[in-house]
Amino acid sequence: MAGKAPQVHGSGPAFDLAGGTLTIDLGALAGNWRALAALCAPARVASVVKADAYGLGIEHAVPALAEAGCTDFFVATIPEGVAAREVAGEARIFVLSARVTPETAHTLRAHRLIPVLNTTGDIACWESEGWSGGAQLPAALHVDTGMNRLGVTHEEAAFFAQENALTRAIHVPLLISHLACADEPGHAMNARQLESFQRVAGLFPHSDSSLSNSAGIGLGAEFRRALVRAGIVLYGAPPVAALDGVVRPVATARARVLQLRRARSGEIVGYGGAARLQRDSLLAVTGAGYADGLLRAASGAGVDQRVGGTPGAQGWIAGHRVPVIGRISMDLTIFDVTDLPAGSVGEGDLIELFGNNVPVEAFARAAGTIPYEVLTSIGQRYHREYLRGEA
Ligand SMILES: *Cc1c(COP(=O)(O)O)cnc(C)c1O
């Protein structure tokens, strides 16, 4: 399909009615999965599509990834699993953080979702669900290897392995653990967790094992095990240098210029008068704000909470970077476009907030946070364009 214009599928508010647009390049998403699959082979690449596919739309992301060849998906919650199942065909869908109870077990089974068992209570409930139904139910077992977030202990896993070898109550296709410090390649925790996970995996000789998220992929082949769980890197924001250049951006957010205004040196801009103009200026007031994921901490000035005195975010229009000026408000963000060549920005134009020209990492850094938080904060007010096929 190279060279062919991509098909566009719109969703959310109509273009003219929205304060901004979000373009989601499903061809890039599929290409990112294929690039990772090639990099990780013989390990397989599962797609993590929790939190509405990191804010980008689970009902669009899952079919694009499945079409690219992905057969394993991870979500956080049961409702996310139900949404994924509607578009995932026969793919396996693992639910990372559901509590397994008699009620949730019923919903999990009804939608053919595979729970990740995180506690001995989860294990006991899934066992009795299997016994009452007369079937051996599948589950992934999550073992904590030092993060102290979710998962059973090594001892609990060993006890379960012994017991389950006899009763065969649960079919365990997958054993997982999660790395606490994978985004710091030199951190001593990585080797310690790998070693601990290898010992536990020895107790489950018939199960595949999975240790790495996106950053873990960058730690090398032995961390990739049978299956990696790729999230943020699929969406085009590699969390570690080792993955730079492997993927391309997927989401581009743009805000519409609602008003261009001239303001005089000495005047203030926005809430709190947080910015005071040092020169006569041209300002572009745009229709997206912190309710659209433009985190207030990325304001141009006057945000007390911001750490380290980082400058605010910069947008992009007509080949130029333009700084955010003053505080970002709920629905509006103001850019200083004084330095642009005359006539290069008009009312109705779109200023890129992050995407192909402003890496989402740069926006996140300006807000003192990570791309994960920016993407999952995007919200539902943008006009969305889903691009299918390779551009
Ligand atoms: C969210 C999550 C992932 C994906 O993490 P990324 O850093 O986005 O790749 C993988 N595994 C678990 C257990 C998670 O919670």
Side-chain angles (χ1 to χ4, degrees):
M1 292 212 272
K4 248 196 192 171
Q7 283 177 290
V8 182
H9 174 85
S11 89
F15 178 80
D16 290 331
L17 306 184
T21 67
L22 183 69
T23 305
I24 295 150
D25 186 344
L26 297 173
L29 179 65
N32 290 348
W33 185 87
R34 285 191 294 264
L36 289 166
L39 177 74
C40 293
R44 287 175 292 125
V45 177
S47 298
V48 181
V49 293
K50 61 194 182 185
D52 200 25
Y54 290 48
L56 302 185
I58 192 169
E59 75 277 28
H60 297 276
V62 166
L65 291 161
E67 205 172 300
C70 182
T71 56
D72 294 289
F73 293 90
F74 284 84
V75 295
T77 68
I78 293 174
E80 291 172 2
V82 172
R85 175 53 73 209
E86 281 184 21
V87 290
E90 291 306 305
R92 294 196 297 183
I93 301 170
F94 295 93
V95 183
L96 286 165
S97 23
R99 228 181 130 236
V100 183
T101 66
E103 293 74 30
T104 63
H106 177 79
T107 309
L108 287 161
R109 292 185 62 183
H111 298 275
R112 288 174 292 127
L113 305 175
I114 305 176
V116 174
L117 307 177
N118 292 304
T119 69
T120 53
D122 288 347
I123 293 173
C125 187
W126 199 239
E127 280 173 345
S128 58
E129 182 72 13
W131 279 318
S132 66
Q136 195 195 28
L137 297 178
L141 182 69
H142 184 179
V143 185
D144 182 77
T145 51
M147 186 179 189
N148 272 318
R149 200 172 66 166
L150 276 176
V152 299
T153 65
H154 186 106
E155 292 69 32
E156 288 164 343
F159 180 81
F160 169 69
Q162 254 183 3
E163 183 203 46
N164 199 55
L166 300 174
T167 63
R168 305 197 169 276
I170 298 177
H171 169 52
V172 186
L174 189 67
L175 189 71
I176 80 163
S177 192
H178 194 52
L179 296 166
C181 306
D183 56 352
E184 296 174 60
H187 203 292
M189 270 308 283
N190 295 322
R192 234 182 285 162
Q193 287 195 266
L194 174 62
E195 194 270 329
S196 166
F197 191 54
Q198 280 165 335
R199 275 190 291 121
V200 139
L203 304 170
F204 295 86
H206 305 298
S207 306
D208 279 345
S209 66
S210 174
L211 178 61
S212 287
N213 59 355
S214 297
I217 294 170
L219 294 176
E222 52 182 351
F223 282 83
R224 294 176 194 154
R225 316 288 305 177
L227 185 75
V228 300
R229 307 185 303 271
I232 196 75
V233 69
L234 278 178
Y235 306 102
V240 286
L243 297 174
D244 282 353
V246 175
V247 293
R248 52 200 175 104
V250 171
T252 300
R254 299 182 185 89
R256 193 188 305 275
V257 177
L258 304 176
Q259 186 178 39
L260 273 179
R261 50 188 312 136
R262 298 205 169 275
R264 292 263 173 217
S265 182
E267 292 177 359
I268 63 121
V269 180
Y271 278 127
R276 187 174 292 276
L277 296 174
Q278 306 291 319
R279 57 178 180 175
D280 293 349
S281 300
L282 184 64
L283 307 177
V285 184
T286 66
Y290 59 74
D292 306 288
L294 305 186
L295 305 173
R296 185 172 173 277
S299 294
V303 183
D304 303 334
Q305 298 90 337
R306 188 155 68 210
V307 289
T310 51
Q314 294 197 322
W316 186 94
I317 185 167
H320 298 272
R321 292 279 173 107
V322 287
V324 171
I325 185 166
R327 286 185 192 155
I328 293 173
S329 48
M330 185 184 295
D331 319 302
L332 301 167
T333 299
I334 307 169
F335 292 89
D336 181 354
V337 297
T338 313
D339 291 331
L340 262 58
S344 54
V345 53
E347 291 176 355
D349 288 354
L350 296 168
I351 296 184
E352 180 178 318
L353 309 162
F354 55 83
N356 285 324
N357 300 290
V358 180
V360 65
E361 290 90 340
F363 184 87
R365 209 175 307 120
T369 187
I370 51 179
Y372 299 74
E373 191 180 19
V374 175
L375 293 181
T376 57
S377 301
I378 282 171
Q380 301 299 325
R381 299 203 302 189
Y382 292 97
H383 168 69
R384 291 181 175 221
E385 300 175 326
Y386 288 91
L387 310 184
R388 296 216 179 84
E390 308 280 322

